[in-house]
């Protein structure tokens, strides 16, 4: 397993051990979400990286609508990209364009957003074609799935090992709108900086201090804790993970030396030092398990959920000691006199009854009510509006 | 002579809302089954309801699209083939999908037509070309795409193009927000979105004064003023957001946008003379006024014409609740006897109400005495109650009645 990192200066490059790191990701600010390099700086770094034996990977991960996308492709068409070994893309538009227009480059495809099933991942691999060199997978995959995918995909896999977790990405500029005072030249000057970063907290969320960044590509919000899998290094290596990315763009690159030492020696003292020096607490996220649908059943009152075949009607009117007004709801079966019904109130109370009389809205007795029709039955204590009515089993 | 206009695609959060949307003029509706969609907390359709919904919509000349737009995990895919067979049996007109694994599963197990969901954030021609290779026939473009860009995408890709024209909006690129996953333990891309973007946040940082704001909350989309541009660009389908919203909403947006489309179908998008220009202005203004009567956040055209700017941020926590509230829903019209109304907000005899028919002007009336189901005169109705109002011929089941200002 090799390390991958972002590079923003020659000084950083000097710290890298080619024995541990294979690729350096170079992020020009014009096409990378958090890139801070001018195009010339990016080319220079690519040149230096290659000279030192690293693969220089050009990152193109901004999402763009047609007009901006077209400007980007026009720009890239005019540039000499031969210093870059691979192009790292996120977004199907960039993938398709690189495939068709840069056939000499291999592709690293970032599938970190969604893409949580093997069928889909295999299809992405096919769509990317023979130039696909690597897939970057989602942080939301558990280790069991990750191991299975690594085995099944037959293409090298990369995963984030340490770095911020991106929660939200919009092209709209949301921060400067909050802070710019157009009457104050000092404030305007401050906000003309290429990047604005604040911490956001909400009383409606138990988490405090979400890092939020605004730059030329929009606004990005990160999790309060970063992703950290360094202590699972051996496990990841055993499952066949090819590349582990360490993203220090929002930390001090001095940490790199400690990270290499830890990777080299697996000495836990280095890991402890990394944890102490790293600017944020880290979590393993969904690495052990992903149970993000566990709470879904609680989002609805189970007592008023419909059931396919036995769901007969819903109480829409209840007048104490007088009547219940119901609307028949089952398109397949009418509610008929003589039916045995079970009524279920939102508070959980249940009543059963044999339907001896149904009336319409003018008080006439009717034999049945079909889907969409109203009918009225004598009042049933404990039942109220939103109570659900089911056919009960005769046995 | 009639001019070409796009399809109007309305949300159907329940079977009743489907009927309301279709009767008020939607050419197509989209809805979710009990699984695989992004609105876990919504009513959603059981299979019998779906069957009835498809039958009802088809009888009225409308199409039905079913959302399967979650980013599914392997284990979620296991139940999908059976559901697809049901959808095919019920003759739904298309499914709306965002995950490539779901697309592949659909192709393997059915012949259903596939529309790419906005969740996939398709933003440009190259992306559309790639998605075309996967077998989708229509793309619901990301809300960041302008009408002008959408026309170019349609032309270059040869795919049908659908765009949102009205309703609430994600601030993030759709499918690119996982706030709920990490803060609430609920997968936003499998139906568990907690709407954290609507929360109020305090923001603090170096060199800035602390502010408190709903800085991630977007205003609601209003596209009524650019329906002409959608038509001229050849956009195939205009979509209204809002499966979780009320009958009033489903009916009003369906009615107003379908009226607008019928109008442009009759007159074209360019007024021919001064009198038509005045007519256009009068109609556009009246449609906008009607849409103002719905509860909504402040409106914006977002990125339909030019990129959404700072003025598209909604700086309130809650939606505006309009005075123009729905008073009730007509459930039954018993000729010469009564109309049976389910009360949504209280009203009394003597109040001025208006019935919103499926087509045409609202009918204002002063409410006479009215009665409950036992024939007892009602002094003040209660929400949820059924009451009998004097019969009049224009009132039809699923019309809504609202308080006239």
């Amino acid at each position: 397993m090799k390390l991958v990192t972002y590079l923003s200066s020659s000084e950083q490059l000097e710290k890298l051990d080619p024995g541990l790191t294979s690729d350096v990701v170079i992020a020009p600010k014009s096409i990378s979400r958090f890139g801070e390099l001018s195009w010339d700086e990016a080319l220079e770094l690519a040149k230096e990286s290659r000279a030192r034996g690293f693969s220089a990977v050009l990152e193109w991960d901004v999402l763009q609508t047609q007009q901006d996308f077209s400007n980007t492709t026009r720009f890239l068409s005019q540039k000499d990209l031969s210093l870059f070994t691979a192009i790292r893309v996120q977004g199907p538009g960039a993938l398709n364009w690189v495939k068709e227009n840069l056939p000499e480059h291999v592709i690293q495809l970032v599938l970190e957003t969604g893409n949580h099933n093997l069928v889909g991942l295999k299809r992405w691999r096919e769509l990317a074609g023979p130039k696909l060199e690597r897939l970057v997978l989602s942080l939301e995959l558990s280790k069991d799935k990750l191991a299975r995918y690594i085995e099944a995909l037959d293409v090298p896999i990369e995963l984030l090992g340490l770095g911020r977790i991106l929660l939200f990405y919009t092209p709209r500029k949301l921060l400067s709108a909050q802070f710019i005072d157009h009457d104050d030249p000092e404030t305007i000057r401050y906000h003309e900086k290429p990047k604005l970063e604040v911490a956001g907290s909400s009383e409606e969320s138990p988490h405090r201090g979400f890092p939020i960044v605004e730059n030329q590509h929009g606004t990005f919000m990160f999790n309060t804790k970063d992703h950290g899998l360094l202590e699972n290094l051996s496990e990841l290596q055993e499952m066949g993970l090819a590349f582990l990315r360490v993203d220090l763009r929002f930390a001090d690159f001095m940490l790199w030396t400690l990270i290499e030492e830890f990777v080299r020696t697996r000495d836990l003292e280095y890991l402890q030092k990394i944890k102490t020096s790293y600017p944020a607490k880290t979590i393993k996220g969904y690495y052990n398990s992903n149970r993000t649908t566990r709470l879904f059943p609680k989002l609805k009152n189970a007592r008023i959920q419909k059931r396919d075949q036995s769901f007969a009607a819903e109480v829409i009117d209840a007048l104490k000691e007088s009547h219940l007004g119901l609307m028949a709801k089952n398109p397949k079966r009418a509610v008929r006199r003589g039916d045995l019904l079970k009524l279920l109130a939102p508070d959980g109370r249940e009543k059963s009854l044999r339907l001896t009389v149904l009336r319409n809205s003018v008080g006439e007795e009717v034999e049945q009510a079909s889907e969409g029709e109203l009918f009225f039955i004598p009042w049933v204590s404990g039942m109220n509006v939103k109570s659900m009515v089911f056919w009960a089993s005769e046995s | 002579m009639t001019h070409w206009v796009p399809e109007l695609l309305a949300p159907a959060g329940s079977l009743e809302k489907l009927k309301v949307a279709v009767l008020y003029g939607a050419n197509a509706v989209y809805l979710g089954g009990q699984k695989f969609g992004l609105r876990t907390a919504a009513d959603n359709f059981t299979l019998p309801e779906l069957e009835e919904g498809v039958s009802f919509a088809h009888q009225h000349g409308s199409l039905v699209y079913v959302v399967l737009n979650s980013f599914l995990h392997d284990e979620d895919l296991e139940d999908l083939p059976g559901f697809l067979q049901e959808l095919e049996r019920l003759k739904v007109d298309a499914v709306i999908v965002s995950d490539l694994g779901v697309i592949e599963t659909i192709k393997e197990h059915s012949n259903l037509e596939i529309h790419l969901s906005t969740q996939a954030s398709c933003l440009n021609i190259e992306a559309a070309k790639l998605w075309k290779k996967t077998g989708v026939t229509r793309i619901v473009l990301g809300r960041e795409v302008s009408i002008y860009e959408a026309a170019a995408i349609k032309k270059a890709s040869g795919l049908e193009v659908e765009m949102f024209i009205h309703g609430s909006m994600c601030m993030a690129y759709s499918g690119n927000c996982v706030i709920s996953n990490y803060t609430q333990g609920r997968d936003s891309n499998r139906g568990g979105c907690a709407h954290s973007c609507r929360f109020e946040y305090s923001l603090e940082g170096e060199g800035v004064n602390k502010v408190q704001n709903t800085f991630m909350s977007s205003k609601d989309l209003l596209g009524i003023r650019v329906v002409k541009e959608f038509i001229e660009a050849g956009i195939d389908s205009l979509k209204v957001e809002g499966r979780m919203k009320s009958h009033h909403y489903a009916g009003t947006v369906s009615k107003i946008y379908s009226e607008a489309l019928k109008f442009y179908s009759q007159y074209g998008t360019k007024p021919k003379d001064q009198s038509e220009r005045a007519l256009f202005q009068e109609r556009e203004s009246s449609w906008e006024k009607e849409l103002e009567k719905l509860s909504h956040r402040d409106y914006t055209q977002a990125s339909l014409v030019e990129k959404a700017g700072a003025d598209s941020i909604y700086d309130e926590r809650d939606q505006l609740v309009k005075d123009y509230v729905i008073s009730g829903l007509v459930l039954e019209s018993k000729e010469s006897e009564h109309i049976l109304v389910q009360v949504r907000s209280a009203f009394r005899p003597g109040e001025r109400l208006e019935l919103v028919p499926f087509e045409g002007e609202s009918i204002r009336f002063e409410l006479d005495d009215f009665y409950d189901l036992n024939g007892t005169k009602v002094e003040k109705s209660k929400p949820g109650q059924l009451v009998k109002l004097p019969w009049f011929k224009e009132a039809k089941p699923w019309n809504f009645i609202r308080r006239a200002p």
Side-chain angles (χ1 to χ4, degrees):
Chain A
M1 185 169 66
K2 293 282 191 181
L3 294 177
V4 176
T5 193
Y6 286 88
L7 205 60
S8 59
S9 70
S10 307
E11 292 73 36
Q12 292 178 353
L13 183 62
E14 282 166 20
K15 293 187 191 304
L16 305 185
D17 174 357
L20 295 176
T21 306
S22 60
D23 295 10
V24 290
V25 184
I26 294 173
K29 62 184 165 195
S30 55
I31 58 171
S32 168
R33 295 177 187 185
F34 309 112
E36 295 186 344
L37 299 169
S38 68
W39 190 256
D40 288 343
E41 287 168 336
L43 286 180
E44 187 55 34
L45 263 183
K47 195 170 157 187
E48 288 177 35
S49 303
R50 288 187 69 141
R52 296 176 74 98
F54 297 102
S55 288
V57 180
L58 176 68
E59 181 175 68
W60 177 13
D61 68 346
V62 288
L63 301 179
Q64 293 176 311
T65 61
Q66 182 54 35
Q67 201 170 347
D68 290 338
F69 186 86
S70 171
N71 290 338
T72 296
T73 54
R74 200 174 306 122
F75 173 82
L76 289 175
S77 303
Q78 292 161 0
K79 295 292 172 191
D80 175 11
L81 302 175
S82 60
L83 287 169
F84 296 102
T85 316
I87 315 285
R88 170 172 294 223
V89 293
Q90 182 156 4
L95 170 63
N96 206 47
W97 189 84
V98 170
K99 251 183 83 178
E100 292 184 3
N101 294 277
L102 301 174
E104 69 282 15
H105 285 83
V106 292
I107 296 169
Q108 297 182 359
L109 178 60
V110 181
L111 296 176
E112 285 183 317
T113 308
N115 300 298
H116 300 138
N117 59 73
L118 191 55
V119 181
L121 290 169
K122 284 183 171 172
R123 184 69 176 118
W124 277 117
R125 188 189 60 190
E126 278 173 35
L127 285 168
K131 286 290 184 181
L132 181 70
E133 182 196 50
R134 184 181 309 176
L135 289 176
V136 182
L137 296 188
S138 165
L139 305 183
E140 293 176 61
L141 296 174
S142 65
K143 60 185 174 188
D144 297 342
K145 281 192 181 168
L146 194 59
R148 196 155 60 81
Y149 293 175
I150 289 169
E151 195 178 338
L153 282 168
D154 197 27
V155 63
I157 302 297
E158 178 185 308
L159 191 70
L160 178 66
L162 182 65
R164 279 187 172 176
I165 300 168
L166 181 62
L167 300 183
F168 171 97
Y169 171 18
T170 177
R172 299 196 221 179
K173 296 191 175 177
L174 307 181
L175 291 184
S176 47
Q178 309 301 324
F179 295 113
I180 285 190
D181 175 357
H182 289 280
D183 296 330
D184 179 7
E186 193 61 30
T187 313
I188 292 174
R189 239 191 329 276
Y190 180 82
H191 291 296
E192 278 171 352
K193 288 179 187 173
K195 188 172 82 175
L196 180 60
E197 177 159 356
V198 300
S201 302
S202 172
E203 305 229 329
E204 296 172 76
S205 167
H207 309 276
R208 319 282 305 161
F210 294 95
I212 302 161
V213 171
E214 179 191 296
N215 63 23
Q216 62 173 332
H217 298 304
T219 309
F220 305 84
M221 176 168 157
F222 301 91
N223 195 32
T224 52
K225 292 177 182 170
D226 288 9
H227 194 66
L229 293 179
L230 289 180
E231 64 190 73
N232 299 86
L233 210 60
S234 301
E235 190 175 31
L236 291 164
Q237 196 159 21
E238 279 164 26
M239 67 173 74
L241 185 74
F243 298 95
L244 189 72
R245 188 170 76 259
V246 175
D247 180 358
L248 296 179
R249 288 177 296 177
F250 299 96
D252 190 336
F253 203 81
M254 295 298 284
L255 274 168
W256 185 259
T257 313
L258 288 173
I259 288 163
E260 281 196 347
E261 282 306 322
F262 173 65
V263 172
R264 201 176 286 125
T265 63
R266 309 293 160 101
D267 183 340
L268 293 177
E269 263 188 47
Y270 287 114
L271 188 63
Q272 195 51 46
K273 283 182 187 167
I274 294 166
K275 281 187 176 174
T276 311
S277 308
Y278 192 73
K281 288 188 174 168
T282 60
I283 54 169
K284 292 184 184 179
Y286 297 106
Y287 182 71
N288 286 321
S289 69
N290 183 330
R291 300 174 69 202
T292 45
T293 53
R294 185 176 39 117
L295 293 171
F296 285 6
K298 294 181 182 171
L299 296 180
K300 283 201 252 190
N301 183 344
R303 295 184 185 114
I304 56 171
Q305 281 183 33
K306 297 171 283 192
R307 291 165 208 174
D308 273 10
Q309 300 308 327
S310 64
F311 179 49
E314 182 181 342
V315 176
I316 59 169
D317 186 45
L319 191 58
K320 197 171 177 182
E321 310 292 351
S322 170
H323 67 265
L324 293 180
L326 298 97
M327 181 173 278
K329 291 277 187 176
N330 195 311
K332 291 290 205 189
R333 183 177 166 187
V335 179
R336 296 172 197 279
R337 193 155 60 93
D339 283 352
L340 183 63
L341 300 177
K342 185 173 80 173
L343 288 78
L344 186 58
D347 63 7
R349 274 185 282 188
E350 278 187 39
K351 287 277 171 73
S352 292
L353 67 86
R354 176 78 63 184
L355 207 50
T356 53
V357 60
L358 292 83
R359 295 183 191 279
N360 65 14
S361 62
V362 289
E364 298 162 344
E365 282 199 26
V366 292
E367 278 300 307
Q368 64 173 53
S370 300
E371 190 273 330
E373 288 183 341
L374 294 166
F375 63 101
F376 298 85
I377 64 173
W379 181 68
V380 180
S381 70
M383 294 299 124
N384 43 31
V385 172
K386 283 200 179 296
S387 296
M388 307 300 250
V389 181
F390 301 90
W391 281 287
S393 162
E394 292 285 350
S395 55
Chain B
M1 187 182 111
T2 57
H3 302 262
W4 175 87
V5 291
E7 162 188 278
L8 175 64
L9 175 56
S14 66
L15 182 55
E16 290 170 10
K17 290 177 198 170
L18 177 148
K19 292 177 178 177
V20 169
V22 167
L23 291 169
Y24 274 104
N27 310 116
V29 290
Y30 64 99
L31 55 88
Q34 294 292 310
K35 286 166 73 173
F36 312 116
L38 286 176
R39 296 288 179 273
T40 297
D43 244 1
N44 292 322
F45 282 64
T46 61
L47 279 176
E49 286 173 331
L50 189 51
E51 184 166 4
E52 168 66 10
V54 172
S55 164
F56 183 89
H58 286 177
Q59 278 168 25
H60 289 79
S62 299
L63 304 177
V64 176
Y65 308 143
V66 175
V67 292
L68 306 172
N69 57 347
S70 285
F71 289 162
L72 296 186
H73 291 227
D74 298 288
E75 58 275 21
D76 305 318
L77 283 175
E78 288 165 13
D79 293 340
L80 187 55
F83 188 57
L84 295 172
Q85 282 161 18
E86 293 290 349
L87 297 184
E88 225 172 4
R89 179 180 67 78
L90 299 180
K91 296 190 167 41
V92 305
D93 298 284
V95 287
I96 305 171
V97 183
S98 52
D99 182 303
L100 195 48
V102 178
I103 292 176
E104 287 304 297
T105 307
I106 292 167
K107 278 162 42 187
E108 187 183 339
H109 294 277
S110 78
N111 292 307
L112 288 161
E113 189 168 321
I114 304 170
H115 296 174
L116 184 73
S117 167
T118 195
Q119 279 296 105
S121 269
C122 182
L123 303 172
N124 49 59
I125 289 169
E126 290 295 329
K129 284 180 179 171
L130 186 132
W131 283 113
K132 190 177 184 181
K133 292 174 195 167
T134 70
V136 304
T137 56
R138 177 187 288 190
I139 288 184
V140 190
L141 291 169
R143 288 174 172 94
E144 296 77 15
V145 177
S146 69
I147 298 171
Y148 168 79
E149 290 173 316
I153 293 170
K154 176 179 165 65
K155 189 175 171 192
S157 69
L159 288 167
E160 285 185 10
V161 160
E162 177 178 313
M163 293 182 81
F164 277 91
I165 191 167
H166 192 95
S168 300
M169 288 190 291
C170 287
M171 181 63 93
Y173 280 120
S174 288
N176 283 265
C177 177
V178 288
I179 302 176
S180 303
N181 304 45
Y182 283 89
T183 61
Q184 316 264 346
R186 286 160 46 175
D187 190 340
S188 54
N189 292 311
R190 280 192 287 177
C193 175
H195 303 283
S196 309
C197 58
R198 303 290 182 192
F199 294 174
E200 185 174 68
Y201 289 84
S202 66
L203 304 172
E204 46 194 326
E206 198 184 329
V208 295
N209 294 322
K210 181 175 172 178
V211 298
Q212 189 121 357
N213 206 330
T214 52
F215 78 107
M216 281 198 288
S217 181
S218 177
K219 289 180 181 174
D220 287 354
L221 182 64
L222 176 72
I224 193 70
R225 287 281 181 180
V226 288
V227 173
K228 295 191 292 286
E229 282 80 353
F230 280 112
I231 296 169
E232 286 163 4
I235 305 307
D236 298 279
S237 179
L238 306 183
K239 184 174 205 162
V240 175
E241 176 278 345
R243 281 193 287 139
M244 300 285 278
K245 290 182 177 162
S246 65
H247 295 76
H248 184 211
Y249 175 89
T252 302
V253 291
S254 298
K255 177 172 174 151
I256 298 307
Y257 281 100
S258 67
E259 272 184 17
L261 290 170
K262 282 176 199 154
F263 177 84
Y264 295 124
S265 171
Q266 184 181 349
Y267 289 94
T269 55
K270 304 254 190 294
K272 286 191 277 298
D273 52 32
Q274 193 56 39
S275 80
E276 272 199 9
R277 191 165 296 115
L279 178 65
F280 273 51
Q281 280 171 3
E282 182 268 316
R283 286 306 194 81
E284 285 161 4
S285 169
S286 81
W287 297 326
E288 195 165 348
K289 274 188 199 152
E290 283 298 313
L291 293 169
E292 283 291 342
K293 291 172 183 171
L294 293 167
S295 289
H296 62 90
R297 300 178 188 90
D298 289 350
Y299 283 134
T300 172
Q301 285 188 353
S303 297
L304 291 177
V305 177
E306 54 190 34
K307 282 181 197 253
D311 60 353
S312 65
I313 300 170
Y314 184 59
D315 56 7
E316 301 285 337
R317 177 65 181 91
D318 301 308
Q319 288 191 45
L320 281 178
V321 177
K322 291 289 181 180
D323 295 336
Y324 226 117
V325 291
I326 184 167
S327 302
L329 194 65
V330 176
L331 296 182
E332 183 183 271
S333 172
K334 207 89 175 166
E335 191 168 345
S336 305
E337 301 256 4
H338 62 251
I339 58 171
L340 193 63
V341 172
Q342 187 178 42
V343 178
R344 296 297 166 100
S345 62
F347 50 83
R348 298 167 189 268
E351 279 190 31
R352 288 187 65 77
L353 301 179
E354 63 181 27
L355 177 105
V356 182
F358 298 129
E359 286 186 83
E361 295 288 307
S362 296
I363 298 154
R364 290 195 172 199
F365 60 98
E366 189 171 309
L367 188 57
D368 289 333
D369 289 344
F370 60 96
Y371 301 87
D372 68 13
L373 269 292
N374 291 335
T376 309
K377 190 173 155 187
V378 177
E379 294 302 327
K380 184 187 178 188
S381 66
K382 289 180 290 194
Q385 185 182 13
L386 292 183
V387 294
K388 292 177 177 176
L389 271 52
W391 182 80
F392 57 104
K393 68 177 189 306
E394 292 87 354
K396 303 277 189 293
W398 306 115
N399 280 154
F400 50 86
I401 291 170
R402 60 192 185 192
R403 189 178 293 120

